[in-house]
Amino acid sequence: MHPSACHAPAPPASRHWSLLGILAPLGMLLICALMLYDMRSDAWDKATQTSRNLLQVIERDVARNIEIIDLSLRAGIDNLSAPGLSELTPEMRQLVLFDRATNASDMGLMLVLNEKGDVIFDSHAVPARTLNNADRDYFRAHAADANLGLVISRPVFSRLLKVPIIVLSRRINKPDGRFGGIVSASLKLSYFSRLFANLGLGAQGAINLYLRDGTRFMRYPYAATDIDVDVSGAETFRRFIEDGDSTFVGVSPRDGRRRFYTYTWVGSLPLLLNVALSVDEIEAEWRVKARVIGLMVLCGLTMGLSVLFGRELRQRARMQAELARLSLTDVLTGLANRRRFEEEMALSWSGPVDPARPHALLVIDVDHFKAINDRYGHATGDGVLQGLASCLTASVHRPGDLVCRVGGEEFVMLLPETDEAGAWRIADKIHAEVSRLGVAAAGIAPGAITVSIGLAGTRSLADQLTRPCELYRLADIALYEAKAAGRNRTHAAAASRSPRMDPQGPVQGTDVTWGSAEAPQAR
């Protein structure tokens, strides 16, 4: 053999494999770095959205409750000048001066103090208990300035309730404009503890509520030493006041931990609310994944990376599937929503109506629903809608039947393979189910809630239908005819139909009334 043969250059294929052996790890490192960066960004995006959602929930609840208390204070001041107030019995004066808001579990007391600070009216005692609050900061502030409006105090210990509270107060002016005392309402700090305790913050997260001057009057997790503390000199509080942005990462002056702060003012009140999530907890899951991925890259576990990618893709697919499901679901009732209804209607038939395959549609509307909301409040109204959803679900049993909430107090029921007679039977069952619906907490007895139903079927209306939406339009017209005829009844879109049988015997025509209980009247 020629000696030069021992030093022959490497073939091109070997050089390519060597280059690939260098580039492949570099490429994997780059891919892993990009993936880790994306995962970290996702973790922070999630933390930002979580913080803002928590902040919005708390801010709305606090603002709403303080607004309710302030309305009670204003009403108390107005009622003090009501004609004939002094001629009423002490018990009647108490009813006139203090509304039902004083019975809320966390509100505490409403008091009327004269210009000397003595209690002259007490929401929880007749006659008023002996007490003088002239030494309180909020009393002295109102006495010195007639233009303060609503004043929210620092945390104080209630002399009557024996618990920590904040006091909301407004000034009373005499006819000549001189100081005539104050009307005050106490809000227990336990209200904030209960509100904050229901929110997921992580083991190191915190919620703080400050007055504009830097006084912290509530913190969660609660510690007595954190209450009524002046933090106006802390860097984080200065950033709350001065920064234009609503988020930042800073070091807590309390324990030295790095936290992600999200903050906002509570409505137009001098209250600043912030949610603080631990940076370590935000990045905890990401750091675990980073260590695992780094180990896999260093050990050359390409297969492991493939598994991780596959798991991530499956997780994203599940999330997308869940989002797709939620996009077709009504949040309040759990029923299908208008989008799902429209999709099912479009799938019901794609050509001319087939008389051999009838479809029916019921449009259901709660009678006098606005009156229920106005009288009992939106929370009770939501309860009525949820109860009605249960009644509608209980009225059908076939897998193909679809119950939807399409908006407000209006529901629809799509009944494939069902003729008008079958739809009438289901409408009767709906009326029967609704007749047993009540809201005990609001004092609404069974029978007080009624519904009107519009019915339309493809068999009797085949010559009038060109598109699926026409069936809904005809059923909706029938609903309004049922409303106009007196409510609490079913009305069919067909001009005429055969008699149908129900438990009381045959019923003629297209309009049937159910029940005798009086529904809440519209104002």
Side-chain angles (χ1 to χ4, degrees):
M1 180 181 290
H2 196 279
S4 62
C6 297
H7 304 283
S14 298
R15 292 197 297 270
H16 292 162
W17 281 109
S18 298
L19 182 62
L20 181 62
I22 295 173
L23 294 179
L26 292 176
M28 291 188 65
L29 286 173
L30 178 62
I31 291 172
C32 290
L34 292 174
M35 186 171 65
L36 289 173
Y37 175 80
D38 184 61
M39 291 169 63
R40 187 175 185 274
S41 298
D42 287 345
W44 278 96
D45 290 343
K46 180 181 177 181
T48 301
Q49 190 60 48
T50 299
S51 297
R52 287 175 175 167
N53 289 342
L54 291 175
L55 206 64
Q56 186 178 58
V57 169
I58 300 169
E59 189 271 337
R60 287 180 178 177
D61 197 282
V62 173
R64 178 176 59 83
N65 279 281
I66 290 181
E67 180 183 10
I68 291 172
I69 295 174
D70 190 31
L71 289 174
S72 298
L73 295 176
R74 292 173 184 268
I77 293 174
D78 292 340
N79 292 335
L80 282 171
S81 59
L85 180 68
S86 60
E87 300 172 5
L88 298 176
T89 65
E91 290 78 9
M92 287 301 297
R93 279 199 299 269
Q94 186 189 49
L95 290 175
V96 170
L97 290 174
F98 306 113
D99 62 19
R100 294 181 181 178
T102 61
N103 295 323
S105 60
D106 291 307
M107 181 169 173
L109 302 171
M110 277 189 66
L111 303 174
V112 178
L113 282 63
N114 63 18
E115 66 273 18
K116 297 179 181 180
D118 295 318
V119 175
I120 56 176
F121 296 111
D122 184 338
S123 65
H124 283 54
V126 177
R129 290 166 284 187
T130 302
L131 180 68
N132 184 282
N133 279 341
D135 61 329
R136 296 294 200 189
D137 290 345
Y138 56 86
F139 183 87
R140 293 199 296 266
H142 281 299
D145 189 344
N147 300 310
L148 293 180
L150 177 68
V151 171
I152 301 176
S153 78
R154 299 165 65 101
V156 296
F157 192 80
S158 173
R159 291 162 176 162
L160 294 176
L161 299 174
K162 308 301 181 186
V163 295
I165 60 171
I166 60 169
V167 178
L168 288 76
S169 58
R170 281 189 173 273
R171 172 180 168 130
I172 301 171
N173 287 322
K174 293 182 177 181
D176 59 1
R178 290 183 298 124
F179 179 58
I182 66 169
V183 175
S184 68
S186 59
L187 182 61
K188 299 176 185 177
L189 293 189
S190 59
Y191 157 70
F192 299 101
S193 296
R194 275 198 290 272
L195 175 62
F196 297 164
N198 294 326
L199 305 173
L201 299 172
Q204 301 173 13
I207 303 174
N208 295 278
L209 194 58
Y210 305 97
L211 291 172
R212 189 187 297 275
D213 64 3
T215 301
R216 178 168 55 205
F217 68 78
M218 193 59 201
R219 184 184 189 275
Y220 180 84
Y222 177 83
T225 55
D226 293 327
I227 307 304
D228 198 19
V229 175
D230 184 2
V231 298
S232 58
E235 180 184 355
T236 52
F237 188 81
R238 288 200 301 270
R239 294 190 66 174
F240 294 152
I241 299 297
E242 298 170 2
D243 284 6
D245 197 2
S246 60
T247 62
F248 66 88
V249 174
V251 177
S252 169
R254 182 179 182 273
D255 56 16
R257 294 184 183 276
R258 292 181 68 241
R259 287 191 169 90
F260 175 58
Y261 292 95
T262 308
Y263 58 94
T264 186
W265 291 99
V266 179
S268 59
L269 301 170
L271 297 177
L272 191 144
L273 173 70
N274 88 277
V275 172
L277 300 181
S278 166
V279 171
D280 290 337
E281 289 184 338
I282 292 173
E283 296 185 346
E285 183 178 356
W286 170 79
R287 289 173 180 173
V288 171
K289 291 182 179 179
R291 284 194 295 268
V292 172
I293 293 173
L295 180 61
M296 292 169 67
V297 171
L298 292 174
C299 297
L301 300 179
T302 305
M303 184 178 295
L305 284 173
S306 301
V307 171
L308 184 63
F309 279 125
R311 184 182 67 179
E312 195 72 21
L313 290 174
R314 288 193 296 272
Q315 183 177 354
R316 289 179 183 271
R318 285 194 296 269
M319 292 174 62
Q320 291 173 353
E322 179 65 11
L323 288 174
R325 185 189 69 80
L326 291 175
S327 71
L328 300 175
T329 303
D330 177 63
V331 176
L332 177 63
T333 62
L335 299 177
N337 60 13
R338 176 180 286 275
R339 180 180 175 184
R340 171 77 186 282
F341 167 66
E342 291 174 349
E343 290 181 359
E344 290 296 330
M345 284 288 286
L347 293 173
S348 295
W349 66 83
S350 56
V353 175
D354 184 0
R357 299 188 62 193
H359 290 70
L361 181 67
L362 302 179
V363 181
I364 305 105
D365 190 89
V366 182
D367 296 329
H368 301 293
F369 184 70
K370 184 179 183 299
I372 295 174
N373 266 343
D374 291 345
R375 181 175 179 183
Y376 300 102
H378 289 284
T380 299
D382 289 347
V384 169
L385 296 179
Q386 291 168 338
L388 177 58
S390 298
C391 293
L392 297 179
T393 304
S395 300
V396 292
H397 302 287
R398 298 187 310 171
D401 296 336
L402 182 66
V403 182
C404 307
R405 180 187 178 210
V406 294
E409 67 272 25
E410 185 173 318
F411 297 76
V412 297
M413 189 177 290
L414 182 61
L415 306 171
E417 308 293 339
T418 303
D419 58 14
E420 285 83 348
W424 274 99
R425 287 192 295 271
I426 293 175
D428 290 346
K429 189 169 183 181
I430 292 171
H431 284 296
E433 291 284 345
V434 173
S435 69
R436 294 189 288 271
L437 176 61
V439 183
I444 302 177
I449 300 169
T450 61
V451 295
S452 298
I453 302 176
L455 183 153
T458 59
R459 176 165 288 175
S460 61
L461 302 172
D463 58 341
Q464 302 180 47
L465 300 175
T466 58
R467 295 177 300 168
C469 64
E470 292 294 322
L471 189 66
Y472 175 77
R473 183 181 66 81
L474 294 172
D476 197 46
I477 292 173
L479 169 66
Y480 279 94
E481 290 173 350
K483 292 279 190 181
R487 297 181 171 84
N488 193 20
R489 64 191 63 217
T490 299
H491 195 94
S496 62
R497 66 180 179 84
S498 301
R500 69 181 178 86
M501 299 298 293
D502 66 13
Q504 285 73 40
V507 180
Q508 301 286 341
T510 62
D511 196 8
V512 176
T513 305
W514 268 84
S516 59
E518 182 180 357
Q521 298 299 309
R523 295 182 180 178

